[in-house]
Amino acid sequence: MNKGEEKMEELDLKELFSLFWSKRIIVVLITLILMFIGIIYTYFFITPEYTATTNLILVQASSNSQNGQSGITSTDLTINSKLVSTYSELVKKNTVLDQVATNLNIGQDEIRSLKNKISVVSTKDTEIIEIRVKNTDPDYATKIANEIAKVFCEKIVEIYNISNTYLLDRAEVPTNPSNINHIKDIAIFTFIGIVISVGYILLINMLDTTIKTEEDIEKITGLTVLVSIPNYDVEFKEAKGGRR
């Protein structure tokens, strides 16, 4: 890149900065409007939901009595790691949820309607399974999460005839909503406001075909401007006893 191109690029950046600086009020107003909308949205339009989480871990199914070993073998770990994905799917099946509904004396339709609010996450490279239940009532979410974990462990024994799941952590009543982050929401709306204001300024500048400078004339006509007449705004004041 030669000096002429560098100068032209520097000039373009200066013009762009000058353009945004001259329209800074528009940028500030649009950004503040979007920020205000974000504040209203995050504080008044989002229904708080709470997530209760209980943790299960897959453990040794049975001790090796033949060789006298009672610890977890590599074979146990391999089997458990393969069962994690299967167990994760089984948690949300109707055979588990229907029993949860029976134990808690709630309707099966009600518990099944919560399917999309129940998520099962297996921690990578571990035998830990997280059961998460989201609801607008934190106590209800906690009760469902703990009961699902309990019923699931019972169903494993019933289906596989093994007992290799252990309740690691019971769910505790969450105190803060899991779907609301005021600072993050406001920051997102503020960023959107900046993007919209910048886009708006660039758009109106592109649509503006009026000639403002000598450079505009040279770009349009391809001719070199030899002479320009300055536009002076001169105010004549009337002197005492004199003429205008």
Side-chain angles (χ1 to χ4, degrees), residues 153-174:
C153 293
E154 295 172 352
K155 289 295 181 181
I156 291 300
V157 177
E158 179 182 330
I159 296 172
Y160 290 96
N161 197 28
I162 58 175
S163 179
N164 66 339
T165 54
Y166 176 76
L167 183 59
L168 190 62
D169 290 316
R170 288 180 58 83
E172 297 181 355
V173 179

CSV table of all heavy atoms in Angstrom, one decimal, residues 153-174:
chain,number,residue,atom,x,y,z
A,153,CYS,N,-34.0,-44.3,40.4
A,153,CYS,CA,-33.2,-45.3,41.1
A,153,CYS,C,-33.9,-46.6,41.3
A,153,CYS,O,-33.4,-47.7,41.1
A,153,CYS,CB,-32.6,-44.8,42.4
A,153,CYS,SG,-31.4,-43.4,42.2
A,154,GLU,N,-35.2,-46.5,41.7
A,154,GLU,CA,-36.0,-47.7,41.9
A,154,GLU,C,-36.3,-48.4,40.6
A,154,GLU,O,-36.3,-49.6,40.5
A,154,GLU,CB,-37.3,-47.3,42.5
A,154,GLU,CG,-37.2,-46.7,44.0
A,154,GLU,CD,-38.5,-46.2,44.5
A,154,GLU,OE1,-39.5,-46.1,43.7
A,154,GLU,OE2,-38.5,-45.8,45.7
A,155,LYS,N,-36.5,-47.7,39.5
A,155,LYS,CA,-36.8,-48.3,38.2
A,155,LYS,C,-35.6,-49.0,37.6
A,155,LYS,O,-35.7,-50.0,36.9
A,155,LYS,CB,-37.3,-47.2,37.2
A,155,LYS,CG,-38.7,-46.7,37.5
A,155,LYS,CD,-39.7,-47.8,37.3
A,155,LYS,CE,-41.1,-47.2,37.6
A,155,LYS,NZ,-42.1,-48.3,37.4
A,156,ILE,N,-34.4,-48.5,37.9
A,156,ILE,CA,-33.1,-49.1,37.5
A,156,ILE,C,-33.0,-50.5,38.1
A,156,ILE,O,-32.7,-51.5,37.4
A,156,ILE,CB,-31.9,-48.3,37.8
A,156,ILE,CG1,-31.9,-47.0,37.0
A,156,ILE,CG2,-30.6,-49.1,37.6
A,156,ILE,CD1,-31.9,-47.2,35.5
A,157,VAL,N,-33.3,-50.6,39.3
A,157,VAL,CA,-33.3,-51.9,40.0
A,157,VAL,C,-34.4,-52.8,39.4
A,157,VAL,O,-34.1,-54.0,39.1
A,157,VAL,CB,-33.6,-51.8,41.5
A,157,VAL,CG1,-33.6,-53.2,42.2
A,157,VAL,CG2,-32.5,-50.9,42.2
A,158,GLU,N,-35.5,-52.3,39.1
A,158,GLU,CA,-36.6,-53.1,38.6
A,158,GLU,C,-36.3,-53.5,37.1
A,158,GLU,O,-36.6,-54.7,36.8
A,158,GLU,CB,-37.9,-52.2,38.6
A,158,GLU,CG,-39.1,-52.9,38.0
A,158,GLU,CD,-40.4,-52.0,38.0
A,158,GLU,OE1,-40.4,-51.2,38.9
A,158,GLU,OE2,-41.2,-52.2,37.2
A,159,ILE,N,-35.8,-52.6,36.3
A,159,ILE,CA,-35.6,-52.9,34.9
A,159,ILE,C,-34.3,-53.8,34.7
A,159,ILE,O,-34.3,-54.8,34.0
A,159,ILE,CB,-35.5,-51.7,34.1
A,159,ILE,CG1,-36.9,-50.9,34.1
A,159,ILE,CG2,-35.1,-51.9,32.6
A,159,ILE,CD1,-36.8,-49.5,33.5
A,160,TYR,N,-33.2,-53.3,35.3
A,160,TYR,CA,-31.9,-54.0,35.0
A,160,TYR,C,-31.5,-55.0,36.1
A,160,TYR,O,-30.5,-55.7,35.9
A,160,TYR,CB,-30.8,-52.9,34.9
A,160,TYR,CG,-30.9,-52.1,33.7
A,160,TYR,CD1,-31.5,-50.8,33.7
A,160,TYR,CD2,-30.3,-52.5,32.5
A,160,TYR,CE1,-31.6,-50.0,32.6
A,160,TYR,CE2,-30.4,-51.7,31.3
A,160,TYR,CZ,-31.0,-50.5,31.4
A,160,TYR,OH,-31.1,-49.7,30.3
A,161,ASN,N,-32.3,-55.0,37.2
A,161,ASN,CA,-32.0,-55.9,38.3
A,161,ASN,C,-30.6,-55.6,38.9
A,161,ASN,O,-29.9,-56.6,39.3
A,161,ASN,CB,-32.1,-57.4,37.9
A,161,ASN,CG,-32.2,-58.3,39.1
A,161,ASN,OD1,-32.7,-57.9,40.1
A,161,ASN,ND2,-31.7,-59.5,38.9
A,162,ILE,N,-30.1,-54.4,38.8
A,162,ILE,CA,-28.9,-54.0,39.4
A,162,ILE,C,-29.1,-52.7,40.2
A,162,ILE,O,-30.1,-51.9,39.9
A,162,ILE,CB,-27.8,-53.8,38.4
A,162,ILE,CG1,-28.2,-52.7,37.4
A,162,ILE,CG2,-27.3,-55.1,37.7
A,162,ILE,CD1,-27.1,-52.4,36.4
A,163,SER,N,-28.3,-52.4,41.1
A,163,SER,CA,-28.4,-51.2,41.9
A,163,SER,C,-27.1,-50.4,41.8
A,163,SER,O,-26.1,-50.6,42.6
A,163,SER,CB,-28.7,-51.5,43.4
A,163,SER,OG,-28.7,-50.3,44.1
A,164,ASN,N,-27.0,-49.6,40.7
A,164,ASN,CA,-25.7,-48.9,40.4
A,164,ASN,C,-25.9,-47.4,40.3
A,164,ASN,O,-25.0,-46.7,39.8
A,164,ASN,CB,-25.0,-49.5,39.2
A,164,ASN,CG,-25.9,-49.2,37.9
A,164,ASN,OD1,-27.1,-48.9,38.0
A,164,ASN,ND2,-25.2,-49.2,36.8
A,165,THR,N,-27.0,-46.9,40.8
A,165,THR,CA,-27.2,-45.5,40.9
A,165,THR,C,-27.3,-45.0,42.3
A,165,THR,O,-27.9,-45.6,43.2
A,165,THR,CB,-28.5,-45.1,40.1
A,165,THR,OG1,-29.6,-45.8,40.6
A,165,THR,CG2,-28.3,-45.3,38.6
A,166,TYR,N,-26.6,-43.9,42.6
A,166,TYR,CA,-26.6,-43.4,43.9
A,166,TYR,C,-26.9,-41.9,43.9
A,166,TYR,O,-26.5,-41.1,43.0
A,166,TYR,CB,-25.2,-43.6,44.5
A,166,TYR,CG,-25.0,-42.9,45.9
A,166,TYR,CD1,-25.6,-43.6,47.0
A,166,TYR,CD2,-24.3,-41.8,46.1
A,166,TYR,CE1,-25.4,-43.0,48.3
A,166,TYR,CE2,-24.1,-41.2,47.3
A,166,TYR,CZ,-24.7,-41.8,48.4
A,166,TYR,OH,-24.5,-41.3,49.7
A,167,LEU,N,-27.8,-41.5,44.8
A,167,LEU,CA,-28.2,-40.1,44.9
A,167,LEU,C,-27.1,-39.3,45.5
A,167,LEU,O,-26.8,-39.3,46.7
A,167,LEU,CB,-29.5,-39.9,45.7
A,167,LEU,CG,-30.1,-38.5,45.8
A,167,LEU,CD1,-30.4,-37.9,44.4
A,167,LEU,CD2,-31.3,-38.5,46.7
A,168,LEU,N,-26.4,-38.5,44.7
A,168,LEU,CA,-25.2,-37.8,45.1
A,168,LEU,C,-25.6,-36.5,45.9
A,168,LEU,O,-25.1,-36.2,47.0
A,168,LEU,CB,-24.3,-37.4,43.9
A,168,LEU,CG,-22.9,-36.8,44.2
A,168,LEU,CD1,-22.1,-37.9,45.0
A,168,LEU,CD2,-22.2,-36.5,42.9
A,169,ASP,N,-26.5,-35.7,45.3
A,169,ASP,CA,-27.0,-34.4,45.9
A,169,ASP,C,-28.5,-34.3,45.6
A,169,ASP,O,-28.9,-34.4,44.5
A,169,ASP,CB,-26.2,-33.2,45.3
A,169,ASP,CG,-24.8,-33.1,45.7
A,169,ASP,OD1,-24.5,-33.4,46.9
A,169,ASP,OD2,-23.9,-32.9,44.8
A,170,ARG,N,-29.2,-34.1,46.7
A,170,ARG,CA,-30.6,-33.8,46.6
A,170,ARG,C,-30.8,-32.3,46.1
A,170,ARG,O,-30.0,-31.5,46.4
A,170,ARG,CB,-31.3,-34.0,47.9
A,170,ARG,CG,-31.5,-35.4,48.3
A,170,ARG,CD,-32.2,-35.6,49.6
A,170,ARG,NE,-33.5,-34.9,49.6
A,170,ARG,CZ,-34.6,-35.5,49.1
A,170,ARG,NH1,-34.6,-36.8,48.6
A,170,ARG,NH2,-35.8,-34.9,49.2
A,171,ALA,N,-31.9,-32.1,45.4
A,171,ALA,CA,-32.1,-30.7,45.0
A,171,ALA,C,-32.5,-29.8,46.1
A,171,ALA,O,-33.3,-30.3,47.0
A,171,ALA,CB,-33.3,-30.7,43.9
A,172,GLU,N,-32.1,-28.6,46.1
A,172,GLU,CA,-32.4,-27.6,47.1
A,172,GLU,C,-33.2,-26.5,46.5
A,172,GLU,O,-33.1,-26.3,45.3
A,172,GLU,CB,-31.2,-27.0,47.8
A,172,GLU,CG,-30.3,-28.1,48.6
A,172,GLU,CD,-29.1,-27.5,49.2
A,172,GLU,OE1,-28.9,-26.2,49.0
A,172,GLU,OE2,-28.4,-28.2,49.9
A,173,VAL,N,-34.1,-25.9,47.3
A,173,VAL,CA,-35.0,-24.9,46.7
A,173,VAL,C,-34.2,-23.7,46.2
A,173,VAL,O,-33.4,-23.1,46.9
A,173,VAL,CB,-36.0,-24.4,47.8
A,173,VAL,CG1,-36.9,-23.3,47.2
A,173,VAL,CG2,-36.8,-25.6,48.3
A,174,PRO,N,-34.3,-23.5,44.9
A,174,PRO,CA,-33.5,-22.3,44.3
A,174,PRO,C,-34.1,-21.0,44.8
A,174,PRO,O,-35.3,-20.9,44.9
A,174,PRO,CB,-33.7,-22.5,42.8
A,174,PRO,CG,-34.9,-23.3,42.7
A,174,PRO,CD,-35.1,-24.2,43.9
